[in-house]
Amino acid sequence: MPPRSVAPSSRIPPHSDGMRIGLLGGSFNPPHQAHRDISLLALKRLELDRVWWLVTPGNPLKDVSGLQDLAVRAAAAQAMANDPRIVVSCLESFIGTRYTVDTIDYLRRRCSKVHFVWIMGADNLGQFHRWQGWRRIAAQVPFAVIDRPPQSLRALAAPAARALASSRIATPDAARLADRKPPAWVFLTGMKSPLASTGLRNPDGSWKK
Protein backbone atom coordinates (compact mmCIF):
# COMPACT_ATOMS: atom_id res chain seq x y z
CA MET A 1 0.00 0.00 0.00
CA PRO A 2 1.54 3.41 -1.00
CA PRO A 3 2.20 5.84 1.88
CA ARG A 4 -0.39 8.44 2.79
CA SER A 5 0.00 12.21 2.82
CA VAL A 6 2.12 13.85 5.50
CA ALA A 7 2.52 17.37 6.82
CA PRO A 8 4.56 19.82 4.69
CA SER A 9 8.18 18.68 4.72
CA SER A 10 11.52 19.95 3.47
CA ARG A 11 12.62 16.43 2.57
CA ILE A 12 11.56 13.99 -0.15
CA PRO A 13 8.02 12.81 0.65
CA PRO A 14 7.37 9.11 1.32
CA HIS A 15 7.37 7.00 -1.83
CA SER A 16 8.02 3.48 -3.03
CA ASP A 17 9.46 1.88 -6.16
CA GLY A 18 7.11 1.83 -9.11
CA MET A 19 4.89 4.67 -7.89
CA ARG A 20 3.56 7.11 -10.49
CA ILE A 21 3.97 10.60 -9.08
CA GLY A 22 3.04 13.96 -10.57
CA LEU A 23 5.14 17.00 -9.68
CA LEU A 24 3.39 20.37 -9.50
CA GLY A 25 5.83 23.17 -8.71
CA GLY A 26 5.02 26.76 -7.91
CA SER A 27 5.10 29.56 -5.39
CA PHE A 28 1.53 28.83 -4.21
CA ASN A 29 1.22 32.50 -3.32
CA PRO A 30 -1.55 31.84 -2.44
CA PRO A 31 -2.64 28.27 -3.16
CA HIS A 32 -6.14 28.09 -4.64
CA GLN A 33 -8.83 25.74 -5.86
CA ALA A 34 -7.36 25.53 -9.38
CA HIS A 35 -4.18 23.98 -7.95
CA ARG A 36 -6.34 21.28 -6.38
CA ASP A 37 -8.48 20.84 -9.50
CA ILE A 38 -5.39 20.47 -11.70
CA SER A 39 -4.03 17.83 -9.33
CA LEU A 40 -7.26 15.86 -9.17
CA LEU A 41 -7.55 15.93 -12.96
CA ALA A 42 -3.96 14.69 -13.31
CA LEU A 43 -4.48 11.94 -10.74
CA LYS A 44 -7.45 10.65 -12.69
CA ARG A 45 -6.42 11.13 -16.31
CA LEU A 46 -2.76 10.14 -15.87
CA GLU A 47 -3.58 7.35 -13.39
CA LEU A 48 -1.11 8.67 -10.82
CA ASP A 49 -0.62 7.43 -7.26
CA ARG A 50 0.30 10.85 -5.86
CA VAL A 51 0.83 14.47 -6.80
CA TRP A 52 3.57 16.32 -4.92
CA TRP A 53 3.14 20.07 -4.58
CA LEU A 54 6.66 21.50 -4.58
CA VAL A 55 6.35 24.89 -2.87
CA THR A 56 9.27 26.88 -4.19
CA PRO A 57 11.23 29.43 -2.14
CA GLY A 58 10.89 31.79 -5.13
CA ASN A 59 10.35 31.65 -8.89
CA PRO A 60 13.40 33.02 -10.78
CA LEU A 61 11.07 34.34 -13.51
CA LYS A 62 8.84 36.30 -11.13
CA ASP A 63 9.08 39.25 -8.76
CA VAL A 64 9.44 37.79 -5.26
CA SER A 65 9.14 41.06 -3.35
CA GLY A 66 5.54 40.28 -2.37
CA LEU A 67 6.15 36.61 -1.65
CA GLN A 68 4.69 35.35 1.60
CA ASP A 69 6.87 33.32 4.00
CA LEU A 70 7.51 29.77 2.81
CA ALA A 71 6.03 28.21 5.95
CA VAL A 72 2.85 30.28 5.53
CA ARG A 73 2.46 29.20 1.91
CA ALA A 74 3.16 25.55 2.72
CA ALA A 75 0.60 25.48 5.53
CA ALA A 76 -2.01 27.13 3.30
CA ALA A 77 -1.22 24.63 0.53
CA GLN A 78 -1.70 21.73 2.94
CA ALA A 79 -5.10 23.09 3.95
CA MET A 80 -6.10 23.63 0.32
CA ALA A 81 -4.95 20.19 -0.87
CA ASN A 82 -7.31 18.34 1.48
CA ASP A 83 -6.67 14.98 -0.17
CA PRO A 84 -4.37 12.16 1.01
CA ARG A 85 -3.02 11.75 -2.53
CA ILE A 86 -1.77 15.36 -2.68
CA VAL A 87 1.44 15.81 -0.69
CA VAL A 88 2.92 19.23 0.07
CA SER A 89 6.70 19.55 0.21
CA CYS A 90 9.24 22.35 0.67
CA LEU A 91 11.96 20.15 -0.81
CA GLU A 92 13.61 22.90 -2.85
CA SER A 93 14.33 24.97 0.23
CA PHE A 94 16.13 21.97 1.76
CA ILE A 95 18.25 21.01 -1.26
CA GLY A 96 18.89 24.61 -2.29
CA THR A 97 17.63 24.48 -5.89
CA ARG A 98 16.20 27.50 -7.70
CA TYR A 99 15.46 25.87 -11.03
CA THR A 100 13.10 23.04 -11.91
CA VAL A 101 15.76 21.26 -13.94
CA ASP A 102 17.96 20.93 -10.84
CA THR A 103 15.08 19.72 -8.68
CA ILE A 104 14.25 17.04 -11.25
CA ASP A 105 17.92 16.02 -11.42
CA TYR A 106 17.91 15.58 -7.65
CA LEU A 107 14.71 13.53 -7.56
CA ARG A 108 15.69 11.28 -10.44
CA ARG A 109 19.02 10.44 -8.79
CA ARG A 110 17.42 9.58 -5.45
CA CYS A 111 14.14 8.07 -6.63
CA SER A 112 15.32 6.27 -9.75
CA LYS A 113 12.51 3.70 -9.70
CA VAL A 114 9.69 6.24 -9.34
CA HIS A 115 7.82 7.25 -12.49
CA PHE A 116 7.66 11.05 -12.33
CA VAL A 117 5.49 13.31 -14.50
CA TRP A 118 5.89 17.09 -14.44
CA ILE A 119 2.54 18.92 -14.39
CA MET A 120 2.03 22.47 -15.64
CA GLY A 121 -0.77 24.74 -16.72
CA ALA A 122 -1.08 25.94 -20.30
CA ASP A 123 0.10 29.38 -19.14
CA ASN A 124 3.43 27.83 -18.13
CA LEU A 125 3.79 26.00 -21.44
CA GLY A 126 3.59 29.42 -23.07
CA GLN A 127 6.78 30.48 -21.29
CA PHE A 128 8.44 27.07 -20.94
CA HIS A 129 11.14 28.07 -23.46
CA ARG A 130 12.32 30.68 -20.94
CA TRP A 131 12.92 28.12 -18.18
CA GLN A 132 16.50 27.25 -17.31
CA GLY A 133 17.39 24.00 -19.09
CA TRP A 134 13.91 23.45 -20.48
CA ARG A 135 15.11 21.02 -23.13
CA ARG A 136 16.83 18.97 -20.43
CA ILE A 137 13.61 18.92 -18.41
CA ALA A 138 11.74 17.56 -21.42
CA ALA A 139 14.46 14.93 -21.92
CA GLN A 140 14.30 13.81 -18.27
CA VAL A 141 10.60 13.43 -17.47
CA PRO A 142 7.35 13.26 -19.42
CA PHE A 143 5.08 16.20 -18.73
CA ALA A 144 1.39 16.97 -18.80
CA VAL A 145 -0.04 20.36 -19.73
CA ILE A 146 -3.42 21.21 -18.26
CA ASP A 147 -5.61 23.51 -20.32
CA ARG A 148 -6.04 26.92 -18.66
CA PRO A 149 -8.47 28.99 -20.79
CA PRO A 150 -7.90 31.40 -22.44
CA GLN A 151 -4.22 30.37 -22.74
CA SER A 152 -4.70 27.27 -24.91
CA LEU A 153 -4.05 28.50 -28.44
CA ARG A 154 -1.21 30.80 -27.41
CA ALA A 155 0.47 28.04 -25.40
CA LEU A 156 0.28 25.48 -28.20
CA ALA A 157 1.82 28.00 -30.59
CA ALA A 158 4.68 28.86 -28.20
CA PRO A 159 8.32 27.96 -29.03
CA ALA A 160 8.57 24.97 -26.66
CA ALA A 161 5.31 23.43 -27.87
CA ARG A 162 6.44 23.77 -31.48
CA ALA A 163 9.90 22.37 -30.74
CA LEU A 164 8.42 19.35 -28.96
CA ALA A 165 5.45 18.83 -31.29
CA SER A 166 6.66 15.41 -32.46
CA SER A 167 6.79 14.21 -28.83
CA ARG A 168 3.18 15.06 -28.04
CA ILE A 169 1.01 12.00 -27.48
CA ALA A 170 -2.71 11.65 -28.13
CA THR A 171 -5.08 12.46 -25.28
CA PRO A 172 -6.52 8.90 -25.14
CA ASP A 173 -3.00 7.68 -24.33
CA ALA A 174 -2.63 10.00 -21.31
CA ALA A 175 -2.93 7.15 -18.79
CA ARG A 176 0.34 5.70 -20.09
CA LEU A 177 2.31 8.95 -20.05
CA ALA A 178 4.16 8.07 -16.82
CA ASP A 179 5.51 4.92 -18.52
CA ARG A 180 6.75 6.75 -21.61
CA LYS A 181 10.40 7.42 -22.25
CA PRO A 182 10.87 11.20 -22.50
CA PRO A 183 10.51 13.39 -24.36
CA ALA A 184 6.76 12.82 -24.21
CA TRP A 185 3.91 15.12 -23.27
CA VAL A 186 0.16 15.43 -23.41
CA PHE A 187 -2.28 18.33 -23.44
CA LEU A 188 -5.31 17.70 -21.23
CA THR A 189 -8.57 19.62 -21.45
CA GLY A 190 -11.47 19.67 -19.05
CA MET A 191 -10.10 21.98 -16.32
CA LYS A 192 -12.08 25.20 -16.74
CA SER A 193 -11.20 27.19 -13.61
CA PRO A 194 -9.82 30.67 -14.50
CA LEU A 195 -8.28 31.15 -11.02
CA ALA A 196 -4.67 32.31 -10.77
CA SER A 197 -2.62 33.30 -7.73
CA THR A 198 -1.94 36.76 -9.19
CA GLY A 199 -5.62 37.66 -9.02
CA LEU A 200 -5.84 36.56 -5.39
CA ARG A 201 -3.18 38.97 -4.11
CA ASN A 202 -3.49 42.57 -2.98
CA PRO A 203 -1.06 45.19 -4.37
CA ASP A 204 1.08 44.88 -1.23
CA GLY A 205 1.46 41.13 -1.73
CA SER A 206 -0.98 40.12 1.02
CA TRP A 207 -3.65 37.57 0.18
CA LYS A 208 -7.22 38.61 -0.45
CA LYS A 209 -9.73 37.25 2.01
Side-chain angles (χ1 to χ4, degrees), residues 46-60:
L46 304 178
E47 296 187 1
L48 302 176
D49 298 302
R50 295 288 184 273
V51 170
W52 293 354
W53 286 4
L54 303 178
V55 185
T56 178
N59 186 331

Side-chain angles (χ1 to χ4, degrees), residues 83-101:
D83 190 295
R85 298 168 299 171
I86 302 174
V87 182
V88 177
S89 175
C90 300
L91 172 71
E92 290 181 322
S93 68
F94 176 71
I95 64 177
T97 55
R98 294 182 64 237
Y99 298 105
T100 296
V101 64

Side-chain angles (χ1 to χ4, degrees), residues 43-205:
L43 281 161
K44 179 179 180 180
R45 300 280 294 279
L46 304 178
E47 296 187 1
L48 302 176
D49 298 302
R50 295 288 184 273
V51 170
W52 293 354
W53 286 4
L54 303 178
V55 185
T56 178
N59 186 331
L61 294 178
K62 295 182 179 179
D63 180 8
V64 298
S65 60
L67 199 60
Q68 294 289 320
D69 183 78
L70 179 62
V72 171
R73 290 181 281 123
Q78 185 71 35
M80 176 59 66
N82 194 31
D83 190 295
R85 298 168 299 171
I86 302 174
V87 182
V88 177
S89 175
C90 300
L91 172 71
E92 290 181 322
S93 68
F94 176 71
I95 64 177
T97 55
R98 294 182 64 237
Y99 298 105
T100 296
V101 64
D102 296 324
T103 301
I104 291 174
D105 278 342
Y106 182 92
L107 288 172
R108 290 182 70 246
R109 288 196 305 270
R110 287 160 178 79
C111 313
S112 60
K113 295 184 179 181
V114 171
H115 301 280
F116 287 114
V117 175
W118 187 262
I119 301 168
M120 69 172 82
D123 50 338
N124 279 321
L125 177 62
Q127 60 174 347
F128 190 38
H129 62 285
R130 297 177 56 206
W131 291 24
Q132 181 84 7
W134 69 272
R135 290 182 181 276
R136 201 159 101 231
I137 294 172
Q140 287 179 318
V141 291
F143 66 94
V145 180
I146 313 297
D147 189 18
R148 294 295 306 277
Q151 303 290 335
S152 311
L153 294 179
R154 182 180 302 175
L156 290 172
R162 295 200 307 270
L164 297 169
S166 63
S167 302
R168 181 180 173 185
I169 69 171
T171 302
D173 296 329
R176 302 275 70 83
L177 179 66
D179 302 319
R180 293 265 186 165
K181 181 179 179 179
W185 65 286
V186 68
F187 190 85
L188 297 178
T189 60
M191 221 292 292
K192 300 304 182 183
S193 174
L195 283 174
S197 293
T198 303
L200 299 175
R201 292 195 296 270
N202 295 309
D204 64 358

